[in-house]
Amino acid sequence: MNNKIEEFIAIMNESKNAVFFGGAGVSTESGVPDFRSADGLYYQKWNYPPEEILSHTFFYSKTKEFYKFYIEKLLPLNIQPNITHFKLAELEQKGILKAVITQNIDGLHQKAGSKIVYELHGSTLRNYCTKCNSFYSEEKIRQSKNTTERIPLCDKCGGLIKPDVVLYEEPLDSSIMTNAINSIRNADTLIIGGTSLSVYPASGLIDYFEGKNLILINKTPTNQDHYANLVINDSLGKVFSSL
């Protein structure tokens, strides 16, 4: 077994208040596309750059184009949690892991059984009418591509439905950020996995960690590896399947 993975196991066996902070790499092994890898969404050709499509301005000005991209790329069918999701839920059940902080919007952590999950960028599973605030499931969004408008509209008032996802130009939820910061401040071990740590303000959360063990697990190096006392450049699935 890899010596670094053995070290990771030893740290987790000693941890009493661990927190996991994860990015797109957590869900890519479930078939969810990421953004910045060589075959990620940022490197695919669209009429507009993905970061423009997924902006507040674009959502309201070119809603049809927004939903065309959103449904095709951000609502993959039949996605299921992978070994990393399940192992994190298991660590929580054992009382070792106190919280999951995620940049992902797919809801897979909760589907795997995690209870304390702070979704920094929201969730595709929650959608609300912009007029009357009625709630709609992910399926309502999928079905809109078969309607005349090809835009999800509220059944009650006809208003535009918007995913509860933080778009570019929108602020992160302050209460979620506060809970995430407090969790990291109180952690004795912070595991950061599947993220390039290049998206702010989320990536700035590492600055709040004051505990003993900072572990970075990512297939490629990040520009913050020097802060960690353990860096593992390997797949999350391989690392977590060893626990």
Side-chain angles (χ1 to χ4, degrees):
M1 186 183 291
N2 185 302
N3 288 338
K4 287 193 172 184
I5 294 181
E6 289 180 347
E7 187 178 348
F8 173 61
I9 294 171
I11 290 173
M12 294 312 298
N13 284 335
E14 295 177 359
S15 297
K16 292 179 171 49
N17 193 348
V19 169
F20 180 82
F21 172 39
V26 179
S27 293
T28 51
E29 291 177 41
S30 291
V32 179
D34 70 349
F35 279 74
R36 290 175 172 80
S37 66
D39 56 351
L41 295 180
Y42 279 172
Y43 295 91
Q44 297 177 12
K45 292 184 178 179
W46 292 82
N47 293 333
Y48 304 90
E51 62 267 35
E52 182 180 348
I53 297 173
L54 296 175
S55 69
H56 180 90
T57 298
F58 196 94
F59 175 79
Y60 284 103
S61 64
K62 295 182 176 66
T63 309
K64 196 172 182 178
E65 287 282 341
F66 170 91
Y67 271 116
K68 181 181 178 183
F69 177 91
Y70 181 85
I71 293 171
E72 181 176 340
K73 290 299 178 183
L74 298 186
L75 295 183
L77 287 166
N78 302 319
I79 57 169
Q80 299 298 327
N82 60 55
I83 187 66
T84 302
H85 296 107
F86 286 118
K87 285 293 182 177
L88 289 169
E90 185 181 320
L91 288 169
E92 182 188 67
Q93 291 161 9
K94 293 187 178 198
I96 298 170
L97 192 75
K98 303 303 182 182
V100 169
I101 302 164
T102 181
Q103 295 172 288
N104 297 334
I105 56 176
D106 49 45
L108 290 179
H109 285 292
Q110 293 94 325
K111 195 170 185 178
S114 290
K115 304 298 183 187
I116 302 175
V117 181
Y118 300 121
E119 298 171 310
L120 299 179
H121 297 154
S123 172
T124 61
L125 305 184
R126 300 185 299 269
N127 305 274
Y128 297 94
C129 173
T130 55
K131 284 187 178 179
C132 70
N133 206 39
S134 293
F135 171 84
Y136 289 94
S137 70
E138 179 184 10
E139 193 54 36
K140 173 70 173 177
I141 307 301
R142 287 188 199 281
Q143 292 170 354
S144 67
K145 68 180 180 180
N146 300 320
T147 64
T148 303
E149 300 88 356
R150 297 197 175 183
I151 294 172
L153 300 176
C154 180
D155 296 333
K156 298 177 182 177
C157 73
L160 174 63
I161 298 172
K162 183 179 182 294
D164 188 17
V165 170
V166 180
L167 302 176
Y168 289 100
E169 304 168 347
E170 295 179 344
L172 300 185
D173 184 288
S174 59
S175 62
I176 291 175
M177 281 293 287
T178 298
N179 287 331
I181 288 168
N182 288 337
S183 295
I184 289 174
R185 275 182 172 153
N186 294 324
D188 58 9
T189 297
L190 176 61
I191 311 158
I192 300 177
T195 173
S196 62
L197 290 172
S198 60
V199 178
Y200 284 86
S203 62
L205 289 173
I206 190 174
D207 297 334
Y208 294 96
F209 180 62
E210 301 171 351
K212 181 180 179 182
N213 299 300
L214 176 58
I215 303 168
L216 284 176
I217 307 170
N218 200 49
K219 285 186 177 180
T220 57
T222 76
N223 59 9
Q224 301 202 46
D225 284 0
H226 57 284
Y227 289 117
N229 53 317
L230 177 61
V231 176
I232 304 176
N233 292 136
D234 211 331
S235 75
L236 283 163
K238 179 180 177 182
V239 175
F240 275 90
S241 63
S242 68
L243 289 178

